[in-house]
């Protein structure tokens, strides 16, 4: 489950909104992969099962080293909404937001995205269309998240 959530969060438009869950997934992936590899390598007695049990953890361990473990750690912060720019007039859970992600001593990542909240823990993001101000379904809000008193995790 940890690997699935890590791959969904890192490779698709699916984002984890809760910091505790995202940290658990990222650290679990970084620590769990070599642990499972070593466990399967030394605990399984039959040679065929040992080979099968070490293939997937070995592939994920190679993936970790190719991507760089420090890059994975720095991307384990959640995207926090700073400003809601537009709100959909028909669907209240669909907004266009300016978000920032803390990456430690390296500063912040910034993005403006269209957000669909699935649950308080998960959201889908996509690029903002160029003609968003011309579309009827979007209402310009342009307010700081603290001014709106909305409960976003």
């Amino acid at each position: 489950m940890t690997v699935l959530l890590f791959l969904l969060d890192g490779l698709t438009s699916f984002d984890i909104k809760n910091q505790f869950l995202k940290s658990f997934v990222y650290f679990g992936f970084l620590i769990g992969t070599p642990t499972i590899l070593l466990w399967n390598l030394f605990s399984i007695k039959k040679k065929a099962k040992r080979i099968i049990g070490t293939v997937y953890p070995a592939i994920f361990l190679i993936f970790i080293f190719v991507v760089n473990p420090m890059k994975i750690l720095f991307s384990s912060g959640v995207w926090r909404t700073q400003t809601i720019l537009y709100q959909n007039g028909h669907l209240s859970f669909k907004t266009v937001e300016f978000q920032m992600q803390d990456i430690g001593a390296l500063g912040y990542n910034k993005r403006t995205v269209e957000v669909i909240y699935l649950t308080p823990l998960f959201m889908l993001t996509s690029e903002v269309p160029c003609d968003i101000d011309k579309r009827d379904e979007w209402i310009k809000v342009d307010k700081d998240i603290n001014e709106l008193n909305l409960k976003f995790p």
Side-chain angles (χ1 to χ4, degrees):
M1 190 64 155
T2 304
V3 172
L4 177 67
L5 283 174
F6 175 80
L7 292 175
L8 279 173
D9 187 67
L11 302 176
T12 66
S13 62
F14 181 86
D15 283 342
I16 299 173
K17 186 79 173 136
N18 183 285
Q19 182 62 53
F20 177 76
L21 179 61
K22 189 165 184 174
S23 294
F24 179 79
V25 166
Y26 276 62
F27 286 106
F29 183 70
L30 286 173
I31 295 168
T33 299
T35 305
I36 291 171
L37 178 64
L38 291 173
W39 178 268
N40 288 344
L41 194 61
F42 294 117
S43 70
I44 299 175
K45 302 294 182 199
K46 293 183 180 180
K47 190 172 185 174
K49 284 187 179 182
R50 183 182 311 161
I51 292 171
I52 293 170
T54 58
V55 169
Y56 287 118
I59 290 170
F60 290 128
L61 190 62
I62 291 168
F63 175 77
I64 288 171
F65 285 119
V66 167
V67 171
N68 188 353
M70 292 307 290
K71 187 174 181 180
I72 293 172
L73 281 177
F74 286 137
S75 64
S76 67
V78 295
W79 288 94
R80 302 225 182 260
T81 301
Q82 302 300 314
T83 307
I84 297 177
L85 303 173
Y86 293 93
Q87 206 161 18
N88 191 299
H90 306 292
L91 305 170
S92 62
F93 56 86
K94 192 173 181 181
T95 58
V96 173
E97 302 175 355
F98 171 70
Q99 298 180 338
M100 295 175 70
Q101 179 187 39
D102 186 11
I103 51 174
L106 301 174
Y108 292 93
N109 287 330
K110 300 173 185 176
R111 70 181 184 179
T112 301
V113 290
E114 184 179 324
V115 179
I116 299 173
Y117 288 97
L118 302 174
T119 68
L121 299 176
F122 306 110
M123 64 183 175
L124 293 175
T125 58
S126 61
E127 290 185 27
V128 177
C130 297
D131 63 343
I132 194 162
D133 3 354
K134 297 174 184 153
R135 294 187 178 185
D136 292 337
E137 71 262 16
W138 293 104
I139 301 168
K140 188 164 180 67
V141 178
D142 201 20
K143 290 199 177 183
D144 190 343
I145 191 69
N146 297 325
E147 294 175 19
L148 293 175
N149 294 324
L150 297 174
K151 302 267 180 176
F152 291 114

